[in-house]
Amino acid sequence: MPLLNEIHRVSGMVVHLGVLDQLDVVCLGKVGEPSASAAIPTQIGSRHPAHQTALGRALLAFTNHPGHENSWPLSIQTSIQQARDSGIAHESGSTVAGLNCIAVPIGPLHRAIGALSICGPAVRLKLDHQSAVPLFIAAATIWDSAGLGSGRPSAVKQGVRTLRLMPTAPSGWPLPRPTGYPAQQ
């Protein structure tokens, strides 16, 4: 949780931690401002089809699920292949209009045991490697601290320290109101 809190502080976005169960992603952790968290239809313990979320695509890109990929739309297959190539999965507006999500896998090269994501307004969250830096730091730290990397017990403290050196991002919330809709009274 300290790492998720630091990712939230650095990014200003909602942070998720998830794992794959069959072809669903299960949310194990969620951190964000209450108004921001309410805008994203996830909660701890919730399940979503993995191919529909950035978190799930990061997991699918680095796990073996033969036969299923061919049943997904070509755009999803392409997105999963791009995640394999770049190490980052993206999702833009398919879950919530105006919302971008990026996710990275946790685990050794080409084998994910979990994934981290940040989600926020598309006007603030760019779908690029720079936005994913806090996720990469935290994913490596989680892997290392689990004893599955080098097994250093102080890895989480070092990861939190590294993230704390990064500036605090201004909040990107609430989501901008779609154009063409009247303001609420």
Side-chain angles (χ1 to χ4, degrees):
M1 286 310 289
L3 287 166
L4 300 184
N5 287 322
E6 283 301 311
I7 296 169
H8 168 64
R9 182 193 63 78
V10 168
S11 69
M13 306 296 161
V14 174
V15 181
H16 291 96
L17 169 67
V19 295
L20 200 59
D21 182 25
Q22 303 294 336
L23 293 175
D24 288 338
V25 65
V26 179
C27 181
L28 299 181
K30 181 178 181 180
V31 175
E33 299 167 16
S35 63
S37 289
I40 300 173
T42 57
Q43 58 187 8
I44 294 174
S46 64
R47 302 173 73 86
H48 300 276
H51 69 279
Q52 294 178 357
T53 68
L55 196 61
R57 290 176 194 173
L59 289 160
L60 291 170
F62 297 101
T63 57
N64 188 14
H65 285 87
H68 292 287
E69 228 174 278
N70 296 331
S71 66
W72 297 324
L74 185 58
S75 62
I76 300 296
Q77 292 178 46
T78 300
S79 178
I80 291 171
Q81 184 58 50
Q82 288 172 341
R84 276 188 198 110
D85 295 342
S86 69
I88 301 174
H90 303 100
E91 188 265 316
S92 182
S94 62
T95 305
V96 176
L99 187 73
N100 278 353
C101 295
I102 58 175
V104 302
I106 299 168
L109 191 61
H110 305 298
R111 191 170 56 96
I113 60 162
L116 290 168
S117 72
I118 54 175
C119 301
V123 296
R124 294 256 347 275
L125 179 57
K126 304 304 175 210
L127 301 176
D128 61 12
H129 276 80
Q130 184 174 351
S131 297
V133 167
L135 294 173
F136 284 123
I137 292 168
T141 300
I142 290 169
W143 180 245
D144 200 19
S145 70
L148 303 170
S150 68
R152 294 178 298 131
S154 62
V156 171
K157 288 180 185 177
Q158 288 178 337
V160 169
R161 268 196 302 267
T162 301
L163 288 168
R164 283 193 180 144
L165 293 173
M166 299 174 83
T168 299
S171 174
W173 301 90
L175 285 173
R177 190 173 42 257
T179 57
Y181 290 91
Q184 292 184 351
Q185 302 291 328

